[in-house]
């Protein structure tokens, strides 16, 4: 049985470094999409092993970082309703909306609870039948299946005091939007291995062919990442494009079909604004009409009072790969993990937090 140590062996790392050095003849710019990959790259210093001229950009692969502030405002407004128990993933509670965050809302008296899974929210709903339990459902296609499972279970078990505030986002349309950005310098992508575990490789293969770039599905250990980078660079050097799978121990071409079937039954695809990136066509999910009764936005009215405030935070440019976090004037001074100004410093998967921890 293989262990993570097998994918961190120094001899293999050095072999890949040497292979890349021999393969590369000109500068290339790659973007890793996933925040987990960004952390591994910085933690192990992998970007410093690449041939001269090969640059890694850190993409929008941190789900709480890209959750629109309007969604957080809405979750906060619901959390202040006395009959509501607001639940979400722990990381999400610290991310500010227009003016404040869910954790501060809890300090003001809102019943806000951090959960590991939306299925826990179902249990809370059963334990508190006199309350309305709302789960603020965020994240990529990796967490969307568990949300779909929870609401399907709620319907099957006739739990009527449970609902969802859905802001799930879809990664492939965001990758395409980044390619189409006129400022884009992306020559190739390292696609997120865990998203591909669910969605497979067909969707990104279509994008790769539409835009004639290589996209390599990559894991999270040093050998995974360097192997993915090597494959991507090899394709660029040979003028080839398409999607490749460098994470075969976890990802099948077709993905997780039962999870995809469940998601299709529960969600519809919609245009959705990503924080820092703006409106992404087909960039998110909402509940399908069959699950409308479980939609918190239908069940509870909301009158937005606060405009979306502009701030000095440049996380939008960080998420697009326009700047590295340490080029933001606030990095490490007025913005730290203890006092974050932007979502990319709040989240454990955010690029700014990764730079602070490993390059601070
Ligand atoms: S360092 Fe802080 S202020 Fe600057 S982009 Fe990152 S999160 Fe925003």
């Amino acid at each position: 049985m293989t262990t993570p140590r097998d994918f961190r062996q120094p001899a293999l790392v050095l072999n890949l470094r040497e292979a890349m050095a021999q393969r590369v003849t000109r500068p290339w710019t790659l973007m890793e999409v996933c925040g987990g990959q960004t952390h591994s790259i910085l933690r192990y210093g992998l970007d410093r092993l690449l041939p001269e001229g090969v640059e890694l950009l850190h993409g929008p692969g941190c789900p709480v970082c890209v959750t629109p502030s309007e969604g957080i405002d809405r979750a906060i407004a619901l959390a202040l309703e006395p009959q509501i128990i607001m639940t979400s993933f722990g990381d999400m509670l610290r991310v500010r909306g227009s003016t404040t965050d869910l954790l501060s809302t809890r300090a003001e008296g809102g019943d806000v609870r951090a959960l590991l899974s939306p299925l826990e929210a179902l249990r809370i709903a059963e334990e508190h039948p006199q309350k309305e339990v709302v789960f603020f459902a965020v994240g990529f296609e990796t967490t969307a299946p568990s949300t779909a499972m929870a609401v399907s279970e709620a319907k099957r078990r006739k739990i009527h005091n449970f609902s969802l505030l859905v802001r799930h986002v879809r990664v492939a349309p965001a990758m395409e939007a980044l390619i189409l950005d006129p400022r884009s310098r992306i020559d190739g992508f390292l696609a997120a291995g865990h998203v591909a575990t669910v969605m497979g490789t067909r969707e990104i293969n279509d994008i790769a062919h539409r835009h004639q770039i290589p996209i390599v599905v990559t894991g999270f250990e040093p050998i995974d990442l360097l192997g993915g980078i090597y494959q991507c660079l090899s394709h660029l050097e040979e003028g080839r494009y398409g999607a490749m799978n460098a994470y075969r121990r976890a990802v099948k071409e077709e993905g997780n079909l039962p999870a995809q079937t469940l998601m299709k039954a529960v969600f519809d695809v919609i245009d959705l604004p990503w924080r820092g990136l703006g409106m992404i066509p087909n960039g998110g999910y909402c509940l399908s009409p069959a699950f409308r009764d479980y939609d918190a936005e239908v069940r509870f009215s909301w009158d937005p009072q606060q405009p979306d405030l502009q701030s000095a935070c440049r996380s939008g440019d960080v998420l697009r790969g326009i700047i590295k976090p340490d080029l933001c004037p606030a990095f490490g001074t007025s913005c730290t993990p203890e006092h974050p100004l932007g979502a990319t410093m709040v989240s454990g998967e955010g690029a700014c937090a990764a730079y602070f921890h490993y390059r601070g």
Side-chain angles (χ1 to χ4, degrees):
M1 197 179 102
T2 55
T3 70
R5 291 181 64 171
D6 295 325
F7 298 94
R8 296 175 189 167
Q9 290 182 31
L12 291 176
V13 168
L14 293 175
N15 283 349
L16 279 163
R17 180 192 196 186
E18 180 60 28
M20 278 189 277
Q22 294 191 3
R23 198 80 184 78
V24 168
T25 61
R26 49 157 286 190
W28 298 107
T29 304
L30 313 182
M31 174 179 276
E32 84 275 358
V33 177
C34 170
Q37 292 171 335
T38 301
H39 274 254
S40 280
I41 286 163
L42 293 166
R43 177 179 176 192
Y44 294 107
L46 303 182
D47 52 333
R48 292 173 167 165
L49 299 178
L50 302 181
E52 198 177 333
V54 175
E55 184 184 0
L56 292 179
L57 304 177
H58 315 303
C62 155
V64 307
C65 301
V66 300
T67 300
S69 58
E70 154 280 331
I72 300 171
D73 292 345
R74 194 148 193 173
I76 289 168
L78 288 172
L80 289 169
E81 296 290 334
Q83 82 278 21
I84 289 179
I85 299 174
M86 173 56 65
T87 62
S88 193
F89 299 117
D91 258 10
M92 199 63 243
L93 306 192
R94 295 183 61 219
V95 180
R96 280 171 67 95
S98 296
T99 55
T100 185
D101 55 51
L102 281 165
L103 213 52
S104 305
T105 307
R106 180 159 79 188
E108 290 169 25
D111 191 343
V112 178
R113 305 186 189 186
L115 305 182
L116 294 174
S117 156
L119 290 166
E120 288 181 53
L122 273 189
R123 177 182 52 74
I124 295 171
E126 286 183 309
E127 290 170 358
H128 299 275
Q130 76 288 8
K131 292 276 194 174
E132 286 283 342
V133 177
V134 180
F135 185 77
F136 184 22
V138 301
F140 301 137
E141 292 93 332
T142 40
T143 52
S146 63
T147 302
M149 173 74 78
V151 73
S152 298
E153 273 297 291
K155 192 170 183 180
R156 188 183 69 79
R157 287 154 55 185
K158 299 186 173 30
I159 301 174
H160 297 299
N161 63 327
F162 168 82
S163 58
L164 294 169
L165 176 60
V166 178
R167 289 296 182 278
H168 279 297
V169 291
R170 302 177 66 234
V171 173
M175 291 168 69
E176 190 149 31
L178 289 168
I179 297 169
L180 293 170
D181 186 325
R183 295 172 294 173
S184 171
R185 297 190 290 126
I186 302 165
D187 296 312
F189 277 109
L190 306 181
H194 49 13
V195 172
T197 304
V198 176
M199 301 306 289
T201 58
R202 287 181 194 143
E203 205 174 20
I204 54 174
N205 195 41
D206 290 345
I207 295 174
H209 279 85
R210 261 200 301 279
H211 300 283
Q212 302 193 349
I213 64 168
I215 302 178
V216 183
V217 176
T218 307
F220 303 89
E221 296 295 338
I223 301 300
D224 292 323
L225 283 157
L226 290 176
I229 294 168
Y230 176 78
Q231 281 199 31
C232 204
L233 292 173
S234 295
H235 271 64
L236 287 167
E237 288 286 337
E238 293 164 15
R240 291 191 286 144
Y241 54 84
M244 289 149 281
N245 183 3
Y247 195 33
R248 289 188 180 279
R249 69 182 185 280
V251 173
K252 295 184 202 143
E253 184 189 344
E254 69 276 17
N256 182 335
L257 294 177
Q260 290 172 30
T261 301
L262 183 60
M263 288 161 67
K264 271 192 193 129
V266 169
F267 297 124
D268 282 344
V269 172
I270 53 169
D271 298 346
L272 193 78
W274 284 42
R275 194 170 193 159
L277 300 189
M279 185 61 76
I280 305 283
N282 301 320
Y285 291 115
C286 69
L287 286 171
S288 68
F291 290 88
R292 193 175 160 81
D293 289 348
Y294 292 89
D295 189 338
E297 301 188 71
V298 173
R299 195 175 290 188
F300 308 105
S301 61
W302 184 61
D303 181 18
Q305 301 291 326
Q306 301 287 349
D308 198 350
L309 299 180
Q310 299 295 315
S311 85
C313 173
R314 295 195 62 192
S315 57
D317 287 339
V318 171
L319 293 168
R320 287 174 185 273
I322 305 296
I323 64 164
K324 296 283 170 64
D326 51 359
L327 287 181
C328 170
F331 176 81
T333 53
S334 55
C335 183
T336 65
E338 288 72 34
H339 301 285
L341 294 182
T344 45
M345 188 62 95
V346 172
S347 167
E349 289 194 17
C352 296
Y355 263 70
F356 187 88
H357 289 302
Y358 303 117
R359 297 281 157 85

